[in-house]
Amino acid sequence: MKKTIYILVFVLLGMSAAAQSISQENIPAVVLNSFQLKFPNAEDIRWKLKDGDYEVRCKVNDKLNEVTINYKGQILKYHQDLYVSQIPGVVLKTIRSKEPFFDVGDADKFEEGGRTEYQIEFKIDGKHRYFWIDDKGHLIKYRKELKDDEIPASIMEYIRTNYGPLDDIDRAKYVIENGKKYYIIAGDAAVFLFDDKVNLLEYHKDLPESKVPSPIMSTIHESYKDYDIRDADMTDRGGVVTYTIRLEKSHKNVNVTFNPEGRILYVK
């Protein structure tokens, strides 16, 4: 797992095909008019063509703006880097309900599909706070980095009793999303996901090759005999255990997920 949940891999050729730089002289009039109506004072304008849509980055009042426009001139997505003075009061009110005192470090506005969302980030005592809030002030998601002494004692006791003590906590987070509350604790090559009732929802463990179950090793030797094991992870989701093994052959990587009996579940 290498302490990431999602990994996006792009090759240079694929990136070039997906997003191609284009000069403003080659932008269709209906697209250019739509852009200029929204950004009459734009500077440092850069265009790209991606999957038939036009993506443009520019600066307005020294702040980054990004917009995606289709060939009809319709704005599909819009991202604006905000000054603090541009954050709506209803958004600030929601933040203050969680953090009464703060100085905004970064603020962004996103519009897509008729929805508007604000993402606000700042630090308190060196720990990040992240807020995702809609334009009505409703909290979509909140993430708070925790100090070690802010982790609930009941969670640490659960880990200690069932998995042994965590000698080194790499990170700890408290998350509210869709009204549900979670704790994420990572350390000693393991990641734990708890709800606020101290129920363990997920457990991930980075494994040495020697800890991979023998049925899985047998399947690898049969189906991937010319591959080398580069990484191994165990995941327990509510009692359902799977193993994901990253295999390599001639610089080609494949991720294979197994059940404990060595049956291949899926390949990426």
Side-chain angles (χ1 to χ4, degrees), residues 5 155 158-159 162-163 173-177 179-185 191-205 234-242:
I5 297 177
I155 287 179
Y158 183 101
I159 294 173
N162 294 278
Y163 298 94
K173 299 176 183 178
Y174 172 65
V175 179
I176 300 176
E177 187 170 6
K180 297 183 178 180
K181 301 174 182 179
Y182 305 96
Y183 290 89
I184 301 170
I185 315 298
V191 179
F192 302 85
L193 174 64
F194 290 88
D195 66 14
D196 60 334
K197 303 294 192 300
V198 199
N199 296 308
L200 180 62
L201 305 178
E202 293 186 18
Y203 168 59
H204 305 266
K205 179 70 174 178
M234 185 277 290
T235 300
D236 183 341
R237 293 187 177 92
V240 178
V241 177
T242 58

Side-chain angles (χ1 to χ4, degrees), residues 157-168:
E157 179 61 26
Y158 183 101
I159 294 173
R160 191 162 37 247
T161 300
N162 294 278
Y163 298 94
L166 281 182
D167 295 326
D168 184 22

Side-chain angles (χ1 to χ4, degrees), residues 49-173:
L49 181 62
K50 181 178 180 181
D51 298 330
D53 295 324
Y54 295 86
E55 298 182 347
V56 57
R57 293 166 59 97
C58 63
K59 286 188 176 181
V60 178
N61 297 325
D62 292 324
K63 283 290 188 178
L64 174 67
N65 287 253
E66 299 174 299
V67 64
T68 300
I69 307 172
N70 68 12
Y71 71 97
K72 296 180 181 180
Q74 298 169 326
I75 293 178
L76 305 178
K77 294 189 293 185
Y78 173 49
H79 164 224
Q80 180 185 8
D81 191 13
L82 300 176
Y83 288 103
V84 174
S85 60
Q86 295 174 300
I87 303 173
V90 68
V91 172
L92 293 172
K93 182 179 178 181
T94 299
I95 295 173
R96 290 192 183 101
S97 70
K98 298 290 182 187
E99 305 288 352
F101 306 103
F102 60 91
D103 290 317
V104 172
D106 187 48
D108 297 272
K109 177 182 178 181
F110 296 87
E111 296 178 2
E112 183 176 2
R115 294 173 57 86
T116 300
E117 179 179 308
Y118 294 86
Q119 296 184 10
I120 313 297
E121 178 270 330
F122 52 86
K123 284 184 178 182
I124 296 178
D125 294 333
K127 294 293 185 180
H128 284 94
R129 308 288 195 273
Y130 299 91
F131 288 83
W132 291 258
I133 301 169
D134 70 17
D135 55 342
K136 302 295 190 299
H138 298 139
L139 182 65
I140 299 169
K141 185 177 178 180
Y142 166 61
R143 189 170 79 226
K144 173 184 178 180
E145 293 182 344
L146 301 176
K147 299 177 182 178
D148 290 0
D149 59 6
E150 293 178 307
I151 303 171
S154 54
I155 287 179
M156 295 307 298
E157 179 61 26
Y158 183 101
I159 294 173
R160 191 162 37 247
T161 300
N162 294 278
Y163 298 94
L166 281 182
D167 295 326
D168 184 22
I169 298 175
D170 296 324
R171 67 186 185 277
K173 299 176 183 178

